[in-house]
DNA sequence: GTGTACCGATACGCTTGAGTACCGGTACAC
DNA sequence: GTGTACCGGTACTCAAGCGTATCGGTACAC
């Protein structure tokens, strides 16, 4: 692959030519996100990221002006929909599949959200990046599932439980570690869907 | 009130006599918790707490060896069961009342949990204090409600949704700000109980 | 080959905050 | 009254981390 491939916005500024390949950039992003998960946002240091990727602090500061901007870029680059493309034909099936998929990412995503939890209230850009990367796409995907279920007539439009489903799914995901000390795995989430989410929607 | 009233454990060490009254101590604790809610654990400074309570850093360090120990003491002193003593005679009634009560504390408690979210993984004592203050008592109270409901025959023992109720309640509480930008108030929580929790339990 | 300019390394300035030391003032004990 | 010792204030040491500056090495362009 050529060296000038795929410079999107949010990555290296297109105007100045950098020798940082997209792969190298991803190493930086992966490193900083991993350190955030492990030590928390405040405890992550640019020096630590530089050391763990065997680059120099200068290199990082050449690409991103400040630490929050760097982290925000890493978050945005990490954006991806964990349960995109799920469409089993039934709402119950979709929700089960979503639970399954969510379980795979649960630990990493939850730790990241937890670690950024408060940093986000101080920096607007960070907050936006976090929502774009880890929250909004999932919510949108979930709501699409629900909308399809309504369209198919599985749940009547305006069912009171509908508006709470995303909060339930996300909520259980996030508080499991607080309550029981372990992250929500796929098995736990699928059982949750069957024991609570589907009954709440009247889908047995 | 006499000046030597009520020195529990977890407050000023009983062995050395301090002129800090319990009321004064509570001022310190309230101040540090409030600053944590506003700025996050890492950004809270002993100097800031001292300034806001018009005492000196020395005074704080005389009573508590380090910042985490100080915060842990504040948390433990703040322990109280938000929905203790609820017993309406029916599980549905209890859950509605719990939702009502939880809504009153939602903002403060959620911000505190959020702000301490990651500090807790670094300091065991802090983690224990947080659980003792904000998590365990609530869970216990909820489980007691559920147990009473089972004993009364409103829900059959072993109902699959039972084990998820605490996670649902706490989860929705905590993620509301992330999803919608506002804290879960009593109204939101009561409607959640009626739209999702009770149906999940088969209580209409 | 020659030059440009980017990379990595190191060293530095600067700020912030934890925790300590010291010093007068004063409240309470007796 | 006298003394003890605790409070509040200030000044300090020390460590850490952000962000900057500088400098050789080197890859790539031409």
């Amino acid at each position: 692959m050529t060296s000038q491939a795929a410079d999107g916005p949010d990555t290296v500024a297109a105007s100045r030519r950098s020798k940082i390949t997209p792969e190298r950039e991803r190493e930086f992003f992966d490193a900083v996100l991993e350190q955030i998960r492990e030590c928390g946002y405040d405890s992550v240091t640019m020096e630590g990221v530089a050391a763990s990727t065997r680059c120099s602090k200068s290199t990082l500061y050449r690409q991103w002006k400040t630490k929050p901007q760097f982290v925000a870029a890493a978050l945005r680059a990490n954006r991806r929909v964990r349960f995109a493309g799920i469409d089993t034909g039934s709402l119950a099936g979709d929700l089960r599949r979503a639970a399954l998929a969510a379980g795979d990412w649960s630990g990493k995503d939850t730790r990241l959200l937890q670690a950024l939890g408060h940093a986000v209230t101080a920096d607007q850009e960070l907050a936006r990046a976090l929502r774009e990367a880890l929250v909004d796409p999932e919510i949108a995907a979930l709501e699409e599932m629900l909308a399809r279920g309504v369209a198919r007539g599985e749940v009547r439009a305006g069912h009171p439980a509908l508006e709470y489903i995303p909060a339930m799914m996300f909520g259980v995901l996030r508080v499991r570690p607080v309550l029981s000390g372990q992250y929500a795995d796929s098995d736990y989430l699928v059982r949750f869907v069957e024991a609570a989410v589907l009954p709440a929607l009247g889908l047995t």
Side-chain angles (χ1 to χ4, degrees), chain A residues 1-202:
Chain A
M1 66 191 60
T2 69
S3 61
Q4 56 201 17
D7 274 42
D10 289 341
T11 63
V12 170
S15 61
R16 89 187 283 177
R17 80 171 190 239
S18 163
K19 289 177 183 165
I20 310 275
T21 65
E23 292 75 24
R24 184 77 170 127
E25 199 183 51
R26 171 141 293 279
E27 280 182 53
F28 297 154
F29 290 161
D30 287 345
V32 71
L33 293 184
E34 189 50 39
Q35 290 198 14
I36 288 174
R37 277 186 277 258
E38 276 175 15
C39 317
Y41 176 81
D42 286 317
S43 300
V44 164
T45 68
M46 297 297 263
E47 209 148 355
V49 175
S52 78
T53 54
R54 295 176 316 281
C55 80
S56 86
K57 251 198 321 178
S58 325
T59 303
L60 298 179
Y61 278 108
R62 262 180 225 120
Q63 312 295 332
W64 302 278
K65 294 292 171 214
T66 65
K67 170 175 157 179
Q69 282 178 31
F70 175 42
V71 173
L75 283 171
R76 274 193 259 260
N78 198 50
R79 170 177 32 189
R80 86 199 93 163
V81 182
R82 275 72 169 98
F83 34 83
I86 292 179
D87 190 356
T88 63
S90 77
L91 182 50
D94 284 0
L95 289 172
R96 280 195 203 93
R97 282 282 298 276
L100 214 56
D104 294 338
W105 293 98
S106 159
K108 289 185 101 168
D109 287 357
T110 301
R111 269 180 299 165
L112 201 50
L113 272 165
Q114 180 86 327
L116 287 169
H118 202 275
V120 139
T121 67
D123 188 302
Q124 284 298 323
E125 191 188 346
L126 216 49
R128 248 181 295 119
L130 186 60
R131 293 188 62 91
E132 287 176 24
L134 287 183
V135 181
D136 290 346
E138 315 301 330
I139 299 297
L142 263 181
E143 283 176 347
E144 209 180 296
M145 274 178 209
L146 295 169
R148 282 199 306 266
V150 170
R152 278 189 298 254
E154 299 176 71
V155 178
R156 73 173 166 77
H159 190 294
L162 275 174
E163 74 166 301
Y164 294 102
I165 303 300
M168 281 171 72
M169 300 283 289
F170 263 74
V172 165
L173 246 171
R174 288 204 53 196
V175 298
R176 181 90 201 286
V178 179
L179 301 192
S180 77
Q182 54 190 314
Y183 293 102
D185 55 16
S186 296
D187 182 56
Y188 175 85
L189 289 171
V190 171
R191 286 190 294 119
F192 168 64
V193 164
E194 283 167 354
V197 179
L198 299 183
L201 285 167

